[in-house]
Amino acid sequence: MAKSYSSIGISNIGQREENQDRYKILGLGLGDEWLIVVADGLGGHKGGAIAAEAIIDAASRCWQDRARKPDNQAFLLDLVQASQQAVQQAAMVSGLEPRSAIAALMIRNDQAISVHVGDCRVIQIQDEKFIKRTLDHSVAQIHVLQGRINDDEMGDHRDQNRLTSCIGGDEGPDPELERWDMSEHCTFIVCSDGFWELFTQEEMIEFDKLALTQANLENLVQERIDARTQHDNTTAVLLRLRSLPVLQPRKKPEKKRRGVRTKWLSLLLIGLLLVGVWLLLQKHNRTSNQDAAVPVGALTESSGPPAEDEALAPMPGEIDQIFESRKEGGFRETENNRNPGPAPIDTVNKEVSEPVDNIDQVAEKTGDVLRRDGLIGTNDSLLSDSGAGTAVGEAKIIRMQQEYKGVPVYSAELRATVKGGKIIHISGKPVSDIEIDIKPVLTYSEVIERYKSSITQNIKAEKTGQLLIFKEQKNYRLAWSGIVTTDGVDGKNIFSADDASLLVREELISRGNEAVGTEFKEK
């Protein structure tokens, strides 16, 4: 079936003084090649619009050079890397601290794949069903995964504006890829948080049924914004995919002509006679020339031009290596932290077909699959947040944490997609070679007291911490994790349980008029 695409895009300033959203639709007129990018500048950091603009410019450059990256996944990861570099360059030029969220959808070679950082989303709707959406990198999303709030309550939650990853800054983004089913017909929505906060999942389903024009969508969004006392910038691109029947050429009616049949029968007999003579001659030639046959290898050894990817593949550079180490580990180096950071954990991404009776079995069944493949050990297990998963329409996405003898393993997180009573896809970062004593040398309170005495900043820590296992190069060590406010900024600190040294600090990012510790960021 041939496919037809149509797109509309809107961006509304909302009830803000400046529109810090940007979007780009690339691929118009190219048939089945599309790149849709939405960037949402973070107003809590000066220069949000600068960051969003830099991302769109980087996406346009990547699109022009897309022939060098035929793999869609590699292309999107390069787009995120290029965006990070562009925003950092803009920060140096402007003297500001630009930050942005991003969502990008790539369609090429009958594949649809997306990447996102922050709380911009890609959403798919089909057959009056909300199929699925990307999962935000925000504190509010964590609440949903833990079953504390539902999807439609996220937009009004106090932690919605607290992001765990973004484009810009020294720590680097943590991009997340998602593959999508290229069904016969569906609607993709790529949007900023201002858009999905306006509509419930049930309301978005109507977008797939209605023949919306850009004017219709602009009016609909404006009506929702006018009904609120304050609202953020709102941006969305709708891409509608429809299948078209392939029209077969009409056969011309056979004309009957008198006196022709006899003529054609005679010609057919003559042709058959000539073919018979030719076959006899070929048989004779093969017999007489058998010893002169050319070896097959001689025909294939130097045939054809060099492969295109050999000529065009870019050389790996130092920046690529730096980006990969940040992406895998998320290490943040500070003045008081000179540890090498967490070691990268290999990613698994596999299609499966594992039956489950209910959602509560997903973690156990996923563990069985990974254990059979040697991806986790016999002392390892998987724990899902509250066992309920995240309802995203027809499919459910279950996030799980790997544990060793009941202790969580840092960065070893898995995600299973459940549909139709089966686990159909598993992705994430499992480890299989843990051998460690799980009794810590220091308690969490002892770690905090030692840390306080070793630094000059003002800190405030939660009373309880989480014991976990931290992978460092080829070794594992016990660590304590807890929320620590340093000079008024909240962050998740991970300390060694042996000597209280700081291993990782992941700051929580504010995108609006939300408190971060005792400090407020102005939108």
Side-chain angles (χ1 to χ4, degrees):
M1 300 284 283
K3 291 183 174 66
S4 170
Y5 298 87
S6 62
S7 66
I8 55 175
I10 63 102
S11 188
N12 190 304
I13 193 172
Q15 292 156 342
R16 296 286 189 264
E17 294 181 357
E18 180 187 19
N19 191 347
Q20 297 184 331
D21 287 1
R22 298 290 187 273
Y23 75 90
K24 190 77 171 181
I25 304 174
L26 295 162
L28 288 172
L30 293 181
D32 57 356
E33 284 193 16
W34 292 81
L35 176 64
I36 297 172
V37 183
V38 170
D40 179 1
L42 272 59
H45 299 260
K46 294 182 179 179
I50 295 174
E53 193 70 40
I55 289 173
I56 295 303
D57 291 343
S60 298
R61 292 192 297 270
C62 289
W63 177 256
Q64 294 299 323
D65 200 33
R66 65 188 181 281
R68 294 176 61 87
K69 284 291 181 181
D71 179 75
N72 292 344
Q73 178 172 315
F75 173 88
L76 290 175
L77 291 178
D78 278 2
L79 188 156
V80 172
Q81 180 184 358
S83 298
Q84 171 74 2
Q85 294 170 356
V87 173
Q88 287 183 324
Q89 181 65 31
M92 294 176 61
V93 173
S94 65
L96 302 175
E97 297 181 354
R99 304 285 190 273
S100 181
I102 182 179
L105 174 67
M106 177 81 170
I107 294 179
R108 183 170 58 171
N109 301 327
D110 285 329
Q111 293 180 345
I113 185 169
S114 69
V115 69
H116 75 285
V117 178
D119 58 359
C120 289
R121 290 182 180 177
V122 179
I123 299 166
Q124 186 181 33
I125 303 165
Q126 179 192 11
D127 291 334
E128 300 185 18
K129 294 179 181 178
F130 191 99
I131 302 301
K132 66 175 180 178
R133 67 164 177 87
T134 52
L135 298 180
D136 303 342
H137 301 148
S138 70
V139 177
Q141 181 67 75
I142 295 174
H143 293 325
V144 173
L145 293 171
Q146 293 174 340
R148 297 174 181 174
I149 61 175
N150 63 40
D151 240 37
D152 292 332
E153 294 172 331
M154 287 185 65
D156 297 322
H157 196 274
R158 63 181 183 275
D159 287 333
Q160 166 52 28
N161 288 339
R162 301 175 72 185
L163 303 185
T164 59
S165 185
C166 71
I167 300 289
D170 297 332
E171 67 276 9
D174 187 12
E176 186 170 348
L177 294 162
E178 187 71 48
R179 296 185 180 274
W180 305 83
D181 179 23
M182 289 282 287
S183 302
E184 292 185 359
H185 66 277
C186 66
T187 297
F188 289 105
I189 303 174
V190 186
C191 62
S192 65
D193 66 320
F195 183 82
W196 58 257
E197 288 175 0
L198 291 176
F199 304 97
T200 66
Q201 291 186 3
E202 291 298 323
E203 289 171 334
M204 289 187 190
I205 291 174
E206 299 297 319
F207 296 156
D208 190 48
K209 297 189 294 183
L210 300 175
L212 286 175
T213 64
Q214 182 163 334
N216 295 149
L217 186 58
E218 287 175 345
N219 292 336
L220 186 59
V221 167
Q222 189 62 56
E223 289 176 2
R224 293 298 177 95
I225 293 175
D226 290 342
R228 298 189 171 210
T229 56
Q230 61 178 359
H231 191 68
D232 197 4
N233 306 148
T234 301
T235 300
V237 176
L238 274 61
L239 180 66
R240 303 186 68 182
L241 184 156
R242 297 292 183 265
S243 295
L244 299 175
V246 179
L247 299 178
Q248 300 294 336
R250 183 184 301 176
K251 293 183 179 180
K252 295 182 179 180
E254 184 179 353
K255 296 181 179 180
K256 296 182 179 180
R257 298 171 59 183
R258 297 182 179 180
V260 176
R261 180 175 297 180
T262 303
K263 176 182 176 180
W264 283 111
L265 287 175
S266 300
L267 291 174
L268 179 61
L269 290 174
I270 294 172
L272 291 173
L273 180 62
L274 292 173
V275 170
V277 173
W278 180 80
L279 289 174
L280 288 174
L281 290 173
Q282 290 298 312
K283 181 177 181 181
H284 174 72
N285 290 337
R286 282 198 300 270
T287 303
S288 59
N289 295 329
Q290 187 172 6
D291 295 336
V294 181
V296 173
L299 295 175
T300 59
E301 183 177 0
S302 61
S303 61
E308 182 179 359
D309 57 351
E310 293 178 3
L312 297 178
M315 296 294 291
E318 182 180 358
I319 294 178
D320 293 308
Q321 296 171 3
I322 294 173
F323 175 73
E324 284 299 319
S325 66
R326 287 176 175 169
K327 176 172 70 68
E328 292 290 336
F331 174 60
R332 283 84 164 121
E333 185 177 54
T334 66
E335 181 179 356
N336 300 294
N337 179 5
R338 293 294 182 265
N339 288 290
I345 298 177
D346 293 336
T347 300
V348 61
N349 195 333
K350 60 186 302 176
E351 305 291 335
V352 298
S353 180
E354 186 74 14
V356 290
D357 295 331
N358 53 64
I359 294 300
D360 295 334
Q361 292 183 345
V362 173
E364 179 184 357
K365 293 287 188 178
T366 302
D368 291 342
V369 172
L370 297 177
R371 202 171 289 108
R372 286 198 301 265
D373 293 344
L375 297 173
I376 63 174
T378 56
N379 290 319
D380 299 312
S381 59
L382 300 180
L383 178 67
S384 64
D385 290 320
S386 74
T390 300
V392 285
E394 188 179 23
K396 284 185 179 293
I397 299 174
I398 311 298
R399 285 200 168 185
M400 295 158 287
Q401 171 70 55
Q402 182 177 345
E403 295 185 342
Y404 173 80
K405 295 182 179 179
V407 179
V409 182
Y410 178 71
S411 291
E413 299 176 351
L414 283 301
R415 185 170 63 170
T417 302
V418 183
K419 186 177 181 181
K422 292 182 179 180
I423 302 172
I424 62 172
H425 187 265
I426 298 174
S427 62
K429 300 176 180 180
V431 292
S432 61
D433 56 347
I434 304 175
E435 291 291 341
I436 190 174
D437 184 0
I438 60 173
K439 184 177 181 180
V441 175
L442 301 173
T443 66
Y444 180 68
S445 59
E446 290 172 336
V447 164
I448 295 299
E449 289 303 317
R450 288 198 184 189
Y451 181 63
K452 283 182 178 179
S453 64
S454 67
I455 63 173
T456 59
Q457 296 104 316
N458 295 321
I459 73 166
K460 182 179 179 181
E462 291 183 338
K463 293 183 179 180
T464 59
Q466 169 69 58
L467 186 66
L468 52 81
I469 295 171
F470 186 85
K471 184 178 183 181
E472 198 171 51
Q473 304 305 318
K474 295 183 179 180
N475 300 318
Y476 294 91
R477 63 194 300 180
L478 281 182
W480 285 105
S481 171
I483 301 298
V484 177
T485 304
T486 303
D487 287 341
V489 179
D490 280 352
K492 184 174 74 172
N493 285 22
I494 298 179
F495 304 95
S496 168
D498 298 326
D499 56 16
S501 60
L502 179 62
L503 303 176
V504 169
R505 175 172 170 82
E506 297 178 339
E507 290 188 357
L508 300 177
I509 307 157
S510 173
R511 61 170 302 125
N513 291 326
E514 294 293 327
V516 181
T518 57
E519 179 181 72
F520 284 82
K521 301 291 186 178
E522 185 177 355
K523 184 71 174 176

